[in-house]
Amino acid sequence: MHSHPEAADTLIVGAQLYDGTGAPPVERDVAIRDGRIAAIGNLSNWLAEEVIEANGRALAPGFIDVHTHDDTHVIRSPQMLPKITQGVTTVIVGNCGISASPVSLKGDPPDPMNLLGERDAFQYPTFAAYVEAVNAARPAVNVGALIGHTALRSNQMDRLDRAATAKEIDGMRAQLEEALSNGALGLSSGLAYGSAFSAPTEEVMALAEPLAAAGALYTTHMRTEFDAILDAMDEAYRVGRHAHVPVVISHLKCAGPSNWGRSEEVLKSLEGARRLQPIGCDCYPYNRSSSTLDVKQVTGDIDITITWSEPHPEMAGKLIREIAAEWGVTQQEAGKRLQPAGAVYHNMSEDDVRRILSHPATMVGSDGLPNDPLPHPRLWGAFPRVLGHYVRDAGLLPLEEAVRKMTSLSARRFGLAQRGEVHIGYHADLVLFDPAKVRDAATFEKPQQAADGIDAVWVNGVLAYRDGAVTGERAGHFVARGAASKGDAHGAF
Ligand code: ZN
Ligand code: CU
């Protein structure tokens, strides 16, 4: 017993602590001081400026959204409501080959870079300039960043429908190296998109070479998620082996009805590769995907909802087959007339989603699209949907395992040092939630709604959200790639 009481800035008492490692919960008090976890245990001898009674609710590390397109959103809307209301305390931007930096546009952003905003949103010719802008904006959440292959292509190439030359690859590499030296987490690709599809595997392999020395990783929206998915996975493994870097397969899914039911086969491939090299994946907890409208995917075999259309904004919320019927044209023709546009594709089977989500290698990432006027509900709902719908209501996985997929697994894979666990000395990113009440409220019809049951969120020790309202404090900042702790590098995968 101490004769003098210890002092904390904040004391959270009587919580069921989910520490992020996957361990079952234990009743604990947690003290926060100077932005860090100062103590964990029975802290009844502690004093604090603020005491929060958890009353047996769950306390967990703040959630890490490993798959976002929040690049410009963290600067333009730094309150980050869609994320802080879910208990997310760190977002990783720059996924799917598209990043806001380093970018120097020659005209309008090529598809799908337009998901990040229009031309005026791209103001960061170097990664250092982007880091400075993030910190100047003081976002409510921490921000880690990947560098997009497509973004680098658009900087260096006059047209994107061909392979890059050796000289262009050198130019891309120099830009990637600048970003890595300023703390970027790695390289992302979006090989399925027209703007990168012409890049041969060798182009990506060459570009990935500088990653290993920096301790960075490679993430990929694969060449295809349809029938040839196993080949696309092999391509991802090959890049990882060539560059000696960990690989994360983004939003792993079996897309398209002819592909439904193949998640077992896909996960078997992943497990086989994991015996040879570090590989993981992320996924979002929904059986519909979303991106820009790709006319090649308008085949008539699935429903596609239009979320925005530049020439026809009045069509947002309608199915493409309804629009085609209204216009008296084919769905293909309707798709062409709607461009550029955004879409939700009804293209997955629920069984596959569940099998992939519950696999131990899978992290949770929202893939939310904050610039979409009718965004897929994953933007506001991904994390509470896992905790409420899949853990509590469907019994798909234990709560401590779901928390691990949102915290420690994510922090270790992406190299976010001292985050993702409730551990003495770690950054005090925390979320207090009620496992009995947590629930996603966002739906496809009304997607912009805060979740229920997320009671308090701290970012770097500062209370950002409580009882359904933001506090106005925005304590997030750019987070550079950190050294993985000892023994993590492989164990995490
Ligand atoms: Zn993607
Ligand atoms: Cu994405």
Side-chain angles (χ1 to χ4, degrees):
M1 223 21 213
H2 296 269
S3 50
H4 298 289
E6 301 269 5
D9 299 329
T10 303
L11 202 54
I12 304 160
V13 301
Q16 284 295 313
L17 180 65
Y18 292 79
D19 70 1
T21 65
V26 282
E27 191 182 325
R28 291 285 186 270
D29 307 330
V30 171
I32 302 172
R33 188 166 56 206
D34 299 331
R36 304 268 181 166
I37 311 276
I40 305 166
N42 177 343
L43 306 179
S44 50
N45 60 328
W46 279 60
L47 295 177
E49 275 170 45
E50 183 162 36
V51 176
I52 305 236
E53 299 283 347
N55 293 321
R57 284 171 295 175
L59 183 68
F63 304 140
I64 298 169
D65 189 348
V66 296
H67 193 111
T68 86
H69 295 290
D70 291 332
D71 302 54
T72 58
H73 204 63
V74 293
I75 296 167
R76 297 193 290 181
S77 305
Q79 61 279 19
M80 289 297 290
L81 286 179
K83 298 300 165 74
I84 203 81
T85 55
Q86 295 184 62
V88 168
T89 56
T90 300
V91 298
I92 295 177
V93 306
N95 279 281
C96 297
I98 59 174
S99 54
S101 81
V103 171
S104 309
L105 290 177
K106 296 167 197 88
D108 286 333
D111 178 276
M113 282 175 69
N114 52 356
L115 289 174
L116 303 182
E118 288 168 25
R119 194 174 178 168
D120 63 349
F122 293 86
Q123 301 176 358
Y124 319 104
T126 63
F127 188 68
Y130 178 72
V131 171
E132 203 176 304
V134 167
N135 286 332
R138 294 188 303 110
V141 298
N142 298 308
V143 181
L146 299 161
I147 302 304
H149 168 227
T150 300
L152 297 176
R153 296 189 107 226
S154 90
N155 294 338
Q156 302 291 334
M157 299 172 71
D158 56 344
R159 45 189 297 178
L160 301 177
D161 59 351
R162 60 171 175 82
T165 64
K167 190 163 163 263
E168 286 161 346
I169 293 174
D170 283 348
M172 291 193 244
R173 269 176 77 142
Q175 289 196 294
L176 177 61
E177 281 169 352
E178 181 270 329
L180 292 171
S181 71
N182 283 294
L185 302 175
L187 172 71
S188 78
S189 69
L191 299 174
Y193 291 105
S195 45
F197 191 75
S198 302
T201 312
E202 289 75 13
E203 175 182 320
V204 185
M205 284 161 59
L207 190 54
E209 283 168 7
L211 295 172
L217 87 172
Y218 171 62
T219 76
T220 180
H221 174 151
M222 296 188 294
R223 188 84 61 181
T224 182
E225 297 169 329
F226 290 83
D227 294 358
I229 184 170
L230 293 178
D231 296 336
M233 293 174 79
D234 286 341
E235 179 179 38
Y237 309 154
R238 187 176 166 213
V239 173
R241 281 198 309 272
H242 173 78
H244 305 286
V245 290
V247 176
V248 169
I249 297 176
S250 296
H251 42 61
L252 183 60
K253 66 174 77 71
C254 298
S258 61
N259 219 8
W260 289 351
R262 292 185 66 206
S263 51
E264 229 163 320
E265 209 182 323
V266 159
L267 289 170
K268 218 167 246 147
S269 162
L270 188 77
E271 285 166 8
R274 275 160 61 83
R275 287 194 270 276
L276 307 171
Q277 61 188 116
I279 302 178
C281 63
D282 59 67
C283 96
Y284 47 82
Y286 296 86
N287 59 16
R288 299 181 192 174
S289 70
S290 184
S291 189
T292 47
L293 176 63
D294 173 9
V295 177
K296 290 196 303 295
Q297 292 185 46
V298 184
T299 49
D301 61 348
I302 56 158
D303 274 335
I304 297 175
T305 310
I306 295 302
T307 61
W308 57 271
S309 161
E310 236 168 72
H312 295 285
E314 73 282 4
M315 293 304 177
K318 289 193 182 176
L319 294 172
I320 203 163
R321 87 175 133 72
E322 297 168 343
I323 300 167
E326 203 178 309
W327 289 346
V329 300
T330 64
Q331 293 195 41
Q332 270 279 330
E333 176 58 26
K336 282 182 198 143
R337 290 190 195 175
L338 289 160
Q339 294 280 41
V344 164
Y345 303 86
H346 305 222
N347 68 356
M348 285 171 256
S349 95
E350 178 66 19
D351 283 352
D352 288 331
V353 171
R354 290 181 180 217
R355 196 172 286 119
I356 291 169
L357 178 63
S358 55
H359 191 278
T362 306
M363 297 171 279
V364 178
S366 71
D367 203 6
L369 302 173
N371 294 311
D372 193 318
L374 188 68
H376 186 302
R378 64 196 186 189
L379 175 67
W380 287 77
F383 289 78
R385 181 168 170 83
V386 172
L387 302 171
H389 177 68
Y390 283 113
V391 170
R392 183 192 55 233
D393 300 342
L396 181 69
L397 69 170
L399 182 53
E400 56 267 32
E401 173 63 2
V403 169
R404 185 185 71 87
K405 290 168 167 292
M406 302 172 174
T407 58
S408 74
L409 183 62
S410 321
R412 289 179 193 181
R413 277 194 189 154
F414 281 87
L416 304 175
Q418 301 190 314
R419 297 189 193 274
E421 281 180 50
V422 183
H423 192 92
I424 292 173
Y426 274 37
H427 299 284
D429 293 343
L430 294 163
V431 53
L432 181 70
F433 65 95
D434 187 339
K437 291 195 184 136
V438 66
R439 186 185 74 93
D440 56 307
T443 62
F444 285 94
E445 293 72 33
K446 275 192 80 183
Q448 291 166 314
Q449 300 198 80
D452 298 324
I454 302 291
D455 295 332
V457 184
W458 292 263
V459 178
N460 295 314
V462 177
L463 187 62
Y465 183 71
R466 189 173 184 188
D467 298 333
V470 290
T471 62
E473 301 285 343
R474 306 200 310 261
H477 54 71
F478 172 75
V479 286
R481 191 186 61 259
S485 40
K486 269 190 208 121
D488 279 353
H490 243 84
F493 286 84

Short mmCIF file of all heavy atoms in Angstrom, two decimals, residues 207-241:
data_model
loop_
_atom_site.label_atom_id
_atom_site.label_comp_id
_atom_site.label_asym_id
_atom_site.label_seq_id
_atom_site.Cartn_x
_atom_site.Cartn_y
_atom_site.Cartn_z
N LEU A 207 8.55 -1.74 -57.32
CA LEU A 207 8.19 -0.62 -56.45
C LEU A 207 8.23 -1.02 -54.98
O LEU A 207 8.52 -0.22 -54.10
CB LEU A 207 6.79 -0.13 -56.84
CG LEU A 207 6.29 1.16 -56.23
CD1 LEU A 207 7.29 2.30 -56.44
CD2 LEU A 207 4.94 1.52 -56.81
N ALA A 208 7.95 -2.29 -54.70
CA ALA A 208 7.90 -2.76 -53.31
C ALA A 208 9.28 -2.97 -52.69
O ALA A 208 9.40 -3.14 -51.47
CB ALA A 208 7.09 -4.05 -53.23
N GLU A 209 10.31 -2.94 -53.51
CA GLU A 209 11.65 -3.26 -53.00
C GLU A 209 12.13 -2.40 -51.83
O GLU A 209 12.75 -2.91 -50.91
CB GLU A 209 12.67 -3.26 -54.16
CG GLU A 209 12.55 -4.54 -54.99
CD GLU A 209 13.31 -4.47 -56.31
OE1 GLU A 209 14.04 -3.48 -56.54
OE2 GLU A 209 13.15 -5.41 -57.12
N PRO A 210 11.87 -1.09 -51.82
CA PRO A 210 12.37 -0.28 -50.69
C PRO A 210 11.61 -0.51 -49.37
O PRO A 210 12.04 0.00 -48.33
CB PRO A 210 12.16 1.17 -51.15
CG PRO A 210 11.74 1.12 -52.56
CD PRO A 210 11.25 -0.25 -52.85
N LEU A 211 10.53 -1.27 -49.39
CA LEU A 211 9.70 -1.38 -48.18
C LEU A 211 10.42 -2.11 -47.04
O LEU A 211 10.31 -1.72 -45.88
CB LEU A 211 8.39 -2.12 -48.50
CG LEU A 211 7.44 -1.42 -49.48
CD1 LEU A 211 6.29 -2.37 -49.85
CD2 LEU A 211 6.88 -0.14 -48.87
N ALA A 212 11.15 -3.17 -47.38
CA ALA A 212 11.71 -4.03 -46.33
C ALA A 212 12.68 -3.26 -45.44
O ALA A 212 12.62 -3.36 -44.21
CB ALA A 212 12.40 -5.24 -46.95
N ALA A 213 13.55 -2.48 -46.06
CA ALA A 213 14.55 -1.74 -45.27
C ALA A 213 13.88 -0.78 -44.30
O ALA A 213 14.39 -0.50 -43.22
CB ALA A 213 15.49 -0.97 -46.20
N ALA A 214 12.70 -0.30 -44.68
CA ALA A 214 11.98 0.64 -43.82
C ALA A 214 11.11 -0.06 -42.79
O ALA A 214 10.50 0.57 -41.94
CB ALA A 214 11.13 1.58 -44.69
N GLY A 215 11.00 -1.39 -42.89
CA GLY A 215 10.10 -2.11 -41.99
C GLY A 215 8.64 -1.88 -42.33
O GLY A 215 7.76 -1.98 -41.47
N ALA A 216 8.36 -1.58 -43.58
CA ALA A 216 7.01 -1.26 -44.02
C ALA A 216 6.34 -2.48 -44.66
O ALA A 216 6.97 -3.53 -44.80
CB ALA A 216 7.05 -0.10 -45.03
N LEU A 217 5.06 -2.35 -45.03
CA LEU A 217 4.34 -3.50 -45.58
C LEU A 217 3.65 -3.17 -46.89
O LEU A 217 3.63 -2.01 -47.32
CB LEU A 217 3.35 -4.07 -44.56
CG LEU A 217 1.93 -3.49 -44.47
CD1 LEU A 217 1.08 -4.31 -43.54
CD2 LEU A 217 1.94 -2.02 -44.03
N TYR A 218 3.09 -4.20 -47.51
CA TYR A 218 2.39 -4.07 -48.79
C TYR A 218 0.94 -4.51 -48.59
O TYR A 218 0.68 -5.61 -48.09
CB TYR A 218 3.07 -4.95 -49.85
CG TYR A 218 2.31 -5.08 -51.15
CD1 TYR A 218 2.06 -3.96 -51.94
CD2 TYR A 218 1.83 -6.32 -51.59
CE1 TYR A 218 1.36 -4.06 -53.14
CE2 TYR A 218 1.13 -6.43 -52.79
CZ TYR A 218 0.90 -5.30 -53.56
OH TYR A 218 0.19 -5.41 -54.73
N THR A 219 0.01 -3.65 -48.98
CA THR A 219 -1.41 -4.02 -48.92
C THR A 219 -1.99 -3.97 -50.33
O THR A 219 -1.54 -3.16 -51.14
CB THR A 219 -2.24 -3.09 -48.01
OG1 THR A 219 -2.47 -1.85 -48.69
CG2 THR A 219 -1.54 -2.83 -46.68
N THR A 220 -2.97 -4.80 -50.59
CA THR A 220 -3.48 -4.82 -51.96
C THR A 220 -4.98 -5.08 -52.08
O THR A 220 -5.52 -5.99 -51.46
CB THR A 220 -2.71 -5.87 -52.82
OG1 THR A 220 -3.23 -5.86 -54.15
CG2 THR A 220 -2.81 -7.27 -52.25
N HIS A 221 -5.62 -4.20 -52.84
CA HIS A 221 -6.93 -4.49 -53.41
C HIS A 221 -6.58 -5.27 -54.68
O HIS A 221 -6.08 -4.71 -55.64
CB HIS A 221 -7.66 -3.18 -53.70
CG HIS A 221 -8.96 -3.33 -54.42
ND1 HIS A 221 -9.99 -2.43 -54.26
CD2 HIS A 221 -9.42 -4.28 -55.29
CE1 HIS A 221 -11.03 -2.80 -55.02
NE2 HIS A 221 -10.70 -3.92 -55.66
N MET A 222 -6.82 -6.55 -54.64
CA MET A 222 -6.22 -7.47 -55.61
C MET A 222 -6.72 -7.26 -57.03
O MET A 222 -7.74 -6.65 -57.27
CB MET A 222 -6.49 -8.91 -55.17
CG MET A 222 -5.84 -9.28 -53.85
SD MET A 222 -6.00 -11.03 -53.51
CE MET A 222 -7.78 -11.21 -53.30
N ARG A 223 -5.99 -7.86 -57.94
CA ARG A 223 -6.27 -7.83 -59.38
C ARG A 223 -7.73 -8.22 -59.66
O ARG A 223 -8.38 -7.66 -60.51
CB ARG A 223 -5.30 -8.80 -60.07
CG ARG A 223 -5.30 -8.78 -61.53
CD ARG A 223 -4.44 -7.74 -62.15
NE ARG A 223 -3.03 -7.80 -61.86
CZ ARG A 223 -2.16 -6.90 -62.34
NH1 ARG A 223 -2.57 -5.92 -63.14
NH2 ARG A 223 -0.89 -6.97 -62.02
N THR A 224 -8.19 -9.22 -58.93
CA THR A 224 -9.62 -9.57 -59.03
C THR A 224 -10.08 -10.24 -57.74
O THR A 224 -9.29 -10.89 -57.05
CB THR A 224 -9.93 -10.49 -60.22
OG1 THR A 224 -11.36 -10.74 -60.25
CG2 THR A 224 -9.21 -11.83 -60.11
N GLU A 225 -11.36 -10.05 -57.43
CA GLU A 225 -12.00 -10.74 -56.30
C GLU A 225 -13.08 -11.68 -56.84
O GLU A 225 -13.87 -12.21 -56.09
CB GLU A 225 -12.60 -9.71 -55.34
CG GLU A 225 -11.54 -8.81 -54.73
CD GLU A 225 -12.11 -7.61 -53.99
OE1 GLU A 225 -13.19 -7.11 -54.39
OE2 GLU A 225 -11.49 -7.18 -53.01
N PHE A 226 -13.09 -11.85 -58.17
CA PHE A 226 -14.08 -12.71 -58.82
C PHE A 226 -13.47 -14.10 -59.05
O PHE A 226 -12.69 -14.57 -58.23
CB PHE A 226 -14.59 -12.03 -60.11
CG PHE A 226 -15.44 -10.82 -59.80
CD1 PHE A 226 -14.87 -9.58 -59.53
CD2 PHE A 226 -16.83 -10.94 -59.74
CE1 PHE A 226 -15.65 -8.48 -59.21
CE2 PHE A 226 -17.61 -9.84 -59.42
CZ PHE A 226 -17.03 -8.61 -59.15
N ASP A 227 -13.81 -14.73 -60.18
CA ASP A 227 -13.48 -16.16 -60.34
C ASP A 227 -11.99 -16.47 -60.24
O ASP A 227 -11.60 -17.53 -59.77
CB ASP A 227 -14.04 -16.68 -61.68
CG ASP A 227 -15.57 -16.66 -61.68
OD1 ASP A 227 -16.16 -16.28 -60.64
OD2 ASP A 227 -16.17 -17.00 -62.71
N ALA A 228 -11.15 -15.54 -60.68
CA ALA A 228 -9.70 -15.81 -60.68
C ALA A 228 -9.03 -15.35 -59.38
O ALA A 228 -7.84 -15.04 -59.35
CB ALA A 228 -9.05 -15.14 -61.88
N ILE A 229 -9.78 -15.34 -58.30
CA ILE A 229 -9.27 -14.80 -57.03
C ILE A 229 -8.01 -15.52 -56.54
O ILE A 229 -7.10 -14.90 -56.00
CB ILE A 229 -10.37 -14.77 -55.94
CG1 ILE A 229 -9.85 -14.11 -54.66
CG2 ILE A 229 -10.92 -16.16 -55.65
CD1 ILE A 229 -10.91 -13.81 -53.63
N LEU A 230 -7.93 -16.84 -56.77
CA LEU A 230 -6.75 -17.57 -56.26
C LEU A 230 -5.48 -17.11 -56.98
O LEU A 230 -4.42 -16.98 -56.36
CB LEU A 230 -6.93 -19.08 -56.39
CG LEU A 230 -8.02 -19.69 -55.50
CD1 LEU A 230 -8.15 -21.19 -55.75
CD2 LEU A 230 -7.79 -19.42 -54.02
N ASP A 231 -5.59 -16.83 -58.27
CA ASP A 231 -4.44 -16.30 -59.01
C ASP A 231 -4.05 -14.93 -58.47
O ASP A 231 -2.88 -14.59 -58.35
CB ASP A 231 -4.77 -16.17 -60.51
CG ASP A 231 -5.04 -17.52 -61.16
OD1 ASP A 231 -4.55 -18.54 -60.62
OD2 ASP A 231 -5.76 -17.55 -62.17
N ALA A 232 -5.07 -14.13 -58.17
CA ALA A 232 -4.80 -12.79 -57.65
C ALA A 232 -4.12 -12.88 -56.29
O ALA A 232 -3.23 -12.07 -55.97
CB ALA A 232 -6.10 -11.99 -57.55
N MET A 233 -4.51 -13.86 -55.49
CA MET A 233 -3.85 -14.04 -54.18
C MET A 233 -2.39 -14.46 -54.39
O MET A 233 -1.49 -13.94 -53.72
CB MET A 233 -4.61 -15.07 -53.34
CG MET A 233 -5.99 -14.57 -52.93
SD MET A 233 -7.00 -15.80 -52.08
CE MET A 233 -6.29 -15.75 -50.43
N ASP A 234 -2.17 -15.36 -55.36
CA ASP A 234 -0.79 -15.77 -55.65
C ASP A 234 0.06 -14.57 -56.05
O ASP A 234 1.23 -14.46 -55.68
CB ASP A 234 -0.77 -16.82 -56.78
CG ASP A 234 -1.26 -18.18 -56.31
OD1 ASP A 234 -1.27 -18.42 -55.08
OD2 ASP A 234 -1.63 -19.00 -57.16
N GLU A 235 -0.54 -13.67 -56.81
CA GLU A 235 0.20 -12.47 -57.22
C GLU A 235 0.60 -11.64 -56.00
O GLU A 235 1.73 -11.15 -55.88
CB GLU A 235 -0.65 -11.63 -58.18
CG GLU A 235 0.06 -10.37 -58.64
CD GLU A 235 -0.76 -9.53 -59.61
OE1 GLU A 235 -2.01 -9.43 -59.43
OE2 GLU A 235 -0.15 -8.94 -60.54
N ALA A 236 -0.33 -11.51 -55.05
CA ALA A 236 -0.03 -10.75 -53.83
C ALA A 236 1.10 -11.42 -53.04
O ALA A 236 2.01 -10.76 -52.54
CB ALA A 236 -1.29 -10.63 -52.97
N TYR A 237 1.04 -12.75 -52.93
CA TYR A 237 2.09 -13.47 -52.19
C TYR A 237 3.45 -13.24 -52.86
O TYR A 237 4.47 -13.09 -52.21
CB TYR A 237 1.85 -14.99 -52.15
CG TYR A 237 0.48 -15.46 -51.70
CD1 TYR A 237 -0.02 -16.69 -52.11
CD2 TYR A 237 -0.30 -14.68 -50.84
CE1 TYR A 237 -1.26 -17.14 -51.69
CE2 TYR A 237 -1.55 -15.13 -50.43
CZ TYR A 237 -2.03 -16.36 -50.87
OH TYR A 237 -3.25 -16.80 -50.46
N ARG A 238 3.42 -13.27 -54.20
CA ARG A 238 4.67 -13.14 -54.96
C ARG A 238 5.33 -11.80 -54.68
O ARG A 238 6.56 -11.72 -54.51
CB ARG A 238 4.34 -13.30 -56.46
CG ARG A 238 5.58 -13.36 -57.32
CD ARG A 238 5.21 -13.62 -58.78
NE ARG A 238 6.37 -13.33 -59.63
CZ ARG A 238 6.28 -12.85 -60.86
NH1 ARG A 238 5.09 -12.59 -61.41
NH2 ARG A 238 7.37 -12.62 -61.55
N VAL A 239 4.55 -10.75 -54.64
CA VAL A 239 5.11 -9.42 -54.34
C VAL A 239 5.73 -9.44 -52.94
O VAL A 239 6.85 -8.95 -52.74
CB VAL A 239 4.02 -8.33 -54.44
CG1 VAL A 239 4.55 -6.98 -53.96
CG2 VAL A 239 3.50 -8.22 -55.87
N GLY A 240 5.04 -10.03 -51.98
CA GLY A 240 5.56 -10.09 -50.62
C GLY A 240 6.86 -10.87 -50.53
O GLY A 240 7.79 -10.47 -49.84
N ARG A 241 6.91 -12.01 -51.24
CA ARG A 241 8.13 -12.83 -51.20
C ARG A 241 9.29 -12.11 -51.87
O ARG A 241 10.41 -12.11 -51.38
CB ARG A 241 7.90 -14.17 -51.91
CG ARG A 241 7.15 -15.19 -51.07
CD ARG A 241 7.34 -16.61 -51.62
NE ARG A 241 7.05 -16.68 -53.04
CZ ARG A 241 5.83 -16.92 -53.56
NH1 ARG A 241 4.81 -17.12 -52.75
NH2 ARG A 241 5.65 -16.99 -54.86
#
